[in-house]
Amino acid sequence: MNLVDAHQHYWRVDRGDYTWLHDAPASLQRDFLPPDLQAQRSAAGVAGSVLVQAAASEAETRYLFELARADRSILGVVGWVDFEAPDAAARIRALARDGDGLLLGLRPMAQDHADPDWLARPALDAAFDCLQGLDLAFDALVRPPQLPALQRRLRRERELRVVLDHAGKPDIAHGRYDDWAAPIRELAALPKVSCKFSGLLTELAPGMPTGTLDPYVDHLFACFGPARLIWGSDWPVLTLRGSYAHWLELARALAQRHAPHALDRIFSRNALAFYRPRRAPDFPASAGAIP
């Protein structure tokens, strides 16, 4: 089976703009760079990945471009721009120019805004207009309280390609379901919204069995189906709960249960169709695609 990782990170701590790391578990407060993942990714058979921003700075996005130029297994970058900046559109165009095809989309880290309605603010309109004009994707990093604002935004941005990061980050650790499930169903009714099959393992409380994920995964497949679910590792955040191989094996077993004839879509083709990278992953000749 062909494999593309649609969501992973690299960071170098001494760059200094990863403010969220100050309060993160100690195991994440170190560098995570391509050599740290290469053996695991090769063993898993992952041919390419989408590199997603981890700092709220354009400088970090340009740093990710540098990593991508040095490592062709990075298919492209989802970067960051201040969507409320008066010159947000010019900033987005400059990043797209500097990326020279590597910029696949943007992620403004909406989950970090105290206002749950932030995504619906008119001050963001120009940024979203530019995103659509350049045919860039939008990664929606939100939690359940922000899902209604995301829905209001997307009802205005009908042509925007959107992917919901980490399934909207349901509060699985505290057993919350309904406040997540209802807005997920409403978002899935919008045809251009996809969902990342990622980040769920780290929503478990320590010691929780992986079976706790079942009702959440059931709901994702019922709402989005295999045509709009996109697998990602969320490495190295993933390491808080398991290894790269463990999450891939678990995700594959869950997908096999729901859509055994669509694994190639969930684990590679959907990512490529959504992000539209110029680089093609170097799939091994022996990898049999499952229709």
Side-chain angles (χ1 to χ4, degrees):
M1 183 176 69
N2 292 329
L3 295 170
V4 169
D5 186 344
H7 196 108
Q8 61 129 120
H9 308 284
Y10 292 130
W11 57 73
R12 199 186 75 220
V13 175
D14 67 4
R15 293 192 55 264
D17 49 6
Y18 309 98
T19 55
W20 64 275
L21 270 179
H22 301 156
D23 300 315
S27 63
L28 295 181
Q29 295 183 30
R30 67 171 182 85
D31 294 350
F32 288 92
L33 295 168
D36 300 307
L37 183 59
Q38 184 176 358
Q40 298 173 69
R41 197 170 59 187
S42 296
V46 174
S49 63
V50 175
L51 193 53
V52 179
Q53 61 82 223
S57 77
E58 294 170 33
E60 193 235 9
T61 300
R62 290 186 167 87
Y63 169 67
L64 299 182
F65 291 158
E66 293 177 18
L67 293 180
R69 290 184 182 108
D71 182 351
R72 291 198 58 82
S73 70
I74 298 171
L75 304 180
V77 170
V78 175
W80 182 93
V81 163
D82 179 359
F83 272 43
E84 286 189 287
D87 60 345
R91 290 170 180 263
I92 293 170
R93 286 193 293 269
L95 271 186
R97 180 197 65 226
D98 295 348
D100 192 23
L102 288 172
L103 186 68
L104 304 181
L106 292 172
R107 186 174 83 149
M109 301 181 85
Q111 70 169 11
D112 294 338
H113 289 268
D115 178 8
D117 292 325
W118 181 78
L119 278 171
R121 290 183 182 180
L124 279 61
D125 289 354
F128 278 104
D129 287 346
C130 184
L131 206 62
Q132 291 172 90
L134 295 175
D135 194 27
L136 295 171
F138 177 67
D139 269 55
L141 178 63
V142 294
R143 297 185 183 278
Q146 297 158 321
L147 290 172
L150 175 61
Q151 184 180 358
R152 294 199 300 278
R153 167 61 65 182
L154 298 186
R155 289 197 181 280
R156 304 205 299 267
E157 316 290 352
R158 293 288 185 169
E159 298 307 311
L160 184 66
R161 283 184 290 123
V162 184
V163 65
L164 187 62
D165 282 1
H166 314 321
K169 305 192 83 167
D171 188 0
I172 302 172
H174 295 97
R176 302 191 63 160
Y177 179 83
D178 292 341
D179 64 338
W180 166 82
I184 287 293
R185 186 181 301 108
E186 294 171 359
L187 278 170
L190 301 174
K192 287 190 177 289
V193 180
S194 295
C195 181
K196 282 190 181 172
F197 189 27
S198 64
L200 294 174
L201 205 60
T202 47
E203 295 301 326
L204 293 172
M208 264 188 174
T210 57
T212 309
L213 300 178
D214 288 352
Y216 300 89
V217 173
D218 293 348
H219 190 61
L220 292 176
F221 274 89
C223 290
F224 290 99
R228 289 189 289 153
L229 286 172
I230 303 173
W231 177 77
S233 69
D234 196 28
W235 186 92
V237 181
L238 166 69
T239 61
L240 294 174
R241 292 291 181 273
S243 68
Y244 198 92
H246 171 62
W247 167 238
L248 175 57
E249 180 181 359
L250 175 60
R252 191 162 12 197
L254 290 166
Q256 176 75 31
R257 183 189 306 168
H258 290 277
H261 300 296
L263 299 187
D264 201 51
R265 298 189 71 171
I266 297 166
F267 289 88
S268 65
R269 284 164 47 199
N270 289 348
L272 298 175
F274 178 80
Y275 281 116
R276 306 173 185 173
R278 293 185 188 178
R279 289 181 178 177
D282 187 16
F283 290 130
S286 60
I290 299 174

